[in-house]
Amino acid sequence: MRHDLNWRNMSAYDLDAVEAIAEVVHPAFFEAPEVLAERRQLYPNGAHMLEIGERAVGYVLSHPWREGDIPPLNAPLGAIPPDAGTYYIHDLALLPVARQMGAAQFITAVLARHAAARGFATMSLVTVNGSEGFWAKQGFVVQDIPELTGKLLTYEEGARYMVRPLA
């Protein structure tokens, strides 16, 4: 990774940058500013910003969730479920300038250590924008859960639910 590339904890002051990055990286997956803010607020330890110098170029939002399930897109969660059994990566978004630098692999490893330290046996996510290959290289495997078909289609036709064991 470049020496001026830095992941740091996200603050409420970063939400405008998160929205701007999301508009570029995920224009087909709109999430209201209040939804993004709630994700950060509900689990601050899973919200990080990526900077080159002091310019925001990426973010990740992640939190515990129910194993074998996915949170709805663009809807508030209300709370982290008490029966959360997996560590869910809701969104990892990097502007083109920040890609191919190892930043996504780095933060995925950080999140995996965080999840394992908190006792989660797995991490999970939904792939979009043809990112399945990247996530497979990070140890995630597609899980075919028929009950998720309808929810996955709310993301996009090619969306896949993937799980990574941490043990």
Side-chain angles (χ1 to χ4, degrees):
M1 250 181 16
R2 289 172 45 161
H3 71 280
D4 62 342
L5 197 64
N6 179 53
W7 282 103
R8 63 167 176 78
N9 289 335
M10 183 188 296
S11 78
Y13 296 108
D14 293 314
L15 292 172
D16 287 343
V18 169
E19 289 176 53
I21 293 166
E23 287 175 13
V24 172
V25 177
H26 299 306
F29 305 101
F30 173 79
E31 289 196 286
E34 56 272 13
V35 169
L36 298 171
E38 185 209 37
R39 296 283 199 279
R40 187 202 67 80
Q41 182 181 15
L42 286 175
Y43 201 76
N45 288 334
H48 304 278
M49 290 299 298
L50 178 64
E51 296 177 330
I52 295 179
E54 293 185 15
R55 179 176 169 237
V57 295
Y59 68 89
V60 65
L61 291 166
S62 59
H63 53 81
W65 196 248
R66 290 181 199 94
E67 197 163 348
D69 193 14
I70 57 176
L73 193 60
N74 195 31
L77 301 178
I80 300 296
D83 61 343
T86 188
Y87 192 80
Y88 185 77
I89 300 176
H90 174 74
D91 192 5
L92 172 57
L94 303 178
L95 292 175
V97 69
R99 295 179 189 157
Q100 308 299 319
M101 294 183 184
Q105 294 90 332
F106 179 84
I107 198 65
T108 301
V110 168
L111 295 174
R113 287 191 301 274
H114 173 81
R118 274 134 191 90
F120 292 100
T122 63
M123 295 173 70
S124 58
L125 53 82
V126 172
T127 64
V128 294
N129 293 335
S131 63
E132 186 178 324
F134 167 80
W135 291 111
K137 290 177 187 172
Q138 308 312 307
F140 287 82
V141 178
V142 172
Q143 300 292 305
D144 185 22
I145 301 174
E147 297 81 22
L148 292 182
T149 302
K151 281 186 176 181
L152 288 168
L153 287 172
T154 67
Y155 284 75
E156 68 178 7
E157 191 172 327
R160 299 288 178 265
Y161 179 68
M162 296 184 81
V163 175
R164 173 184 168 175
L166 294 174

